[in-house]
Amino acid sequence: MNSESTIQDFLEFAQMVRGCRPKTAEAYAIDLKVWKTFCSVHCPQVDNPSKAKVVVDYIRYLRVERKNASAAIGRKLATLSAFVDFLILMELLDSKMDEREKWPKLLDTPERLPVVLDNKEMQSILAMPDTTTILGRRDRTILTLIYSAGLRVSEVCSLKTTDINRKDGRILISGKGGRERYVPLDPTVDEAIQEYLSSRSSSIPELFVSKKGGALTPRAIQFMVKKYAEDAQIDKQVTPHKLRHTCATHLLQEGAHLVSIQKLLGHKSLTTTQIYLHITIADLKELSKHHPMHKMRAQLGLMGNPVQSFQSPYGTKTGT
């Protein structure tokens, strides 16, 4: 049931029948490889992938041995569930044996505030590439593009020269799940792109070219961003996705509407954008200055220190 041929049949079914994107099928393949590794060590004779006791052991394996967080475990369980659906559909597993209702529910992991660069840090990174070289001009273009439009690293890699529409001032983006959208072509980005293209000799359709002449990969961009952050002596773990988040957060701080940011980022749901963005403590303190309560201070007799100025009409409090 966990044979290589059965898994391969499932992956083909996911793409050819369900219509999954290649990257989704690739994620399925990775997750099922982890499942096979677990089974080979802990339960080589398993004949029912939905068996609750086996899944409990699988979750323990993912947490303890692979150090996976709840989000990663949830994704792997979703893949396993899709695999179980396939086995039942193909009559390789009796639906009466389906124990997914017994699977334990994962508790939500505490949310951590995402890393965001401030304006000074962002300027430092943008100033790092050596624009006297073709690679430096390429890198500066990528950095300004991610920061101005909040692109995902995969979207940057898939960009083609024909996606840049200077006449209309917009860029066509092939986003997550095959969804397309347009983002504005910022004048600074436009200038950087034209300067880069004027010195680029490759004939491949992709906009960004590697040192060897092929299309640039996500890993290459991740390495490049990390290098420039270290060169700028920024004491944060900086990734392309954090630059995307920095773009969105800075727009929010400047008063951009959340729905507009959702459209820019290519989020299918506004809920995703609300989770993705955050307001810093500094923003909240600044916001509190505009609260109507501040205009009432004179009427309330709170011109100085609120604690010292306020006198209770009931005299001194002696007990509860």
Side-chain angles (χ1 to χ4, degrees):
M1 194 167 291
N2 289 327
S3 67
E4 193 64 39
S5 61
T6 304
I7 290 177
Q8 190 58 43
D9 288 344
F10 164 70
L11 297 177
E12 290 181 4
F13 167 82
Q15 292 187 80
M16 304 302 177
V17 179
R18 292 183 59 195
C20 288
R21 304 279 297 178
K23 288 192 175 181
T24 302
E26 183 180 338
Y28 280 162
I30 293 172
D31 291 344
L32 288 177
K33 184 177 180 180
V34 174
W35 165 254
K36 274 196 65 178
T37 301
F38 159 76
C39 289
S40 64
V41 175
H42 297 277
C43 49
Q45 303 301 322
V46 64
D47 58 355
N48 181 3
S50 75
K51 195 171 183 61
K53 183 182 183 305
V54 174
V55 171
V56 167
D57 291 338
Y58 182 44
I59 293 173
R60 185 183 294 111
Y61 165 78
L62 294 174
R63 285 201 190 279
V64 176
E65 297 189 34
R66 295 188 62 87
K67 310 297 183 185
N68 284 173
S70 290
I73 295 172
R75 192 195 75 181
K76 289 180 175 62
L77 292 182
T79 296
L80 184 59
S81 180
F83 184 55
V84 171
D85 283 335
F86 169 75
L87 295 176
I88 293 174
L89 179 66
M90 302 306 293
E91 300 181 355
L92 298 173
L93 178 68
D94 190 333
S95 60
K96 295 179 181 179
M97 298 175 63
D98 188 356
E99 295 187 18
R100 281 177 292 178
E101 288 187 358
K102 299 179 182 179
W103 288 9
K105 303 296 182 183
L106 301 179
L107 297 177
D108 293 333
T109 54
E111 290 187 14
R112 293 179 294 178
L113 288 178
V115 173
V116 174
L117 305 183
D118 59 34
N119 289 334
K120 186 177 179 181
E121 290 170 332
M122 197 64 233
Q123 290 173 6
S124 297
I125 288 185
L126 292 176
M128 282 298 106
D130 179 6
T131 54
T132 63
T133 68
I134 177 64
L135 293 181
R137 289 191 284 274
R138 179 202 68 186
D139 293 351
R140 184 187 64 173
T141 304
I142 292 172
L143 292 172
T144 56
L145 185 56
I146 295 176
Y147 179 53
S148 73
L151 300 189
R152 301 178 178 92
V153 66
S154 59
E155 295 170 346
V156 174
C157 292
S158 64
L159 267 179
K160 295 179 173 55
T161 55
T162 53
D163 293 332
I164 312 300
N165 189 329
R166 298 190 70 198
K167 180 181 178 181
D168 296 335
R170 63 186 187 178
I171 307 172
L172 176 62
I173 305 298
S174 299
K176 196 173 182 179
R179 297 186 296 272
E180 292 185 338
R181 71 185 187 279
Y182 284 105
V183 299
L185 176 58
D186 183 271
T188 302
V189 176
D190 184 24
E191 181 181 335
I193 289 175
Q194 296 312 311
E195 186 178 348
Y196 165 60
L197 287 177
S198 66
S199 55
R200 199 194 80 154
S201 59
S202 176
S203 60
I204 65 173
E206 285 78 14
L207 176 61
F208 297 112
V209 183
S210 69
K211 192 174 181 180
K212 295 182 179 180
L216 204 60
T217 65
R219 184 170 292 272
I221 295 180
Q222 291 163 356
F223 178 81
M224 177 263 288
V225 169
K226 180 181 178 181
K227 175 184 179 298
Y228 286 133
E230 291 175 349
D231 291 345
Q233 298 182 339
I234 295 176
D235 190 23
K236 295 176 181 176
Q237 290 186 347
V238 184
T239 65
H241 194 75
K242 289 182 174 66
L243 297 187
R244 168 176 159 89
H245 189 85
T246 297
C247 162
T249 304
H250 287 185
L251 286 173
L252 184 69
Q253 291 171 338
E254 291 298 317
H257 196 282
L258 199 62
V259 174
S260 299
I261 296 175
Q262 175 199 0
K263 300 296 184 183
L264 181 72
L265 299 179
H267 285 158
K268 189 175 182 180
S269 168
L270 184 61
T271 302
T272 305
T273 312
Q274 291 171 328
I275 295 173
Y276 185 79
L277 298 176
H278 73 285
I279 299 179
T280 64
I281 295 298
D283 293 325
L284 292 174
K285 288 181 178 178
E286 184 64 27
L287 184 64
S288 69
K289 294 179 183 178
H290 302 285
H291 195 285
M293 182 64 74
H294 284 270
K295 297 179 181 179
M296 303 176 188
R297 290 174 64 80
Q299 299 173 0
L300 295 173
L302 301 177
M303 298 302 293
N305 185 296
V307 176
Q308 293 177 343
S309 300
F310 183 74
Q311 298 295 324
S312 171
Y314 302 104
T316 303
K317 187 176 182 181
T318 57
T320 58

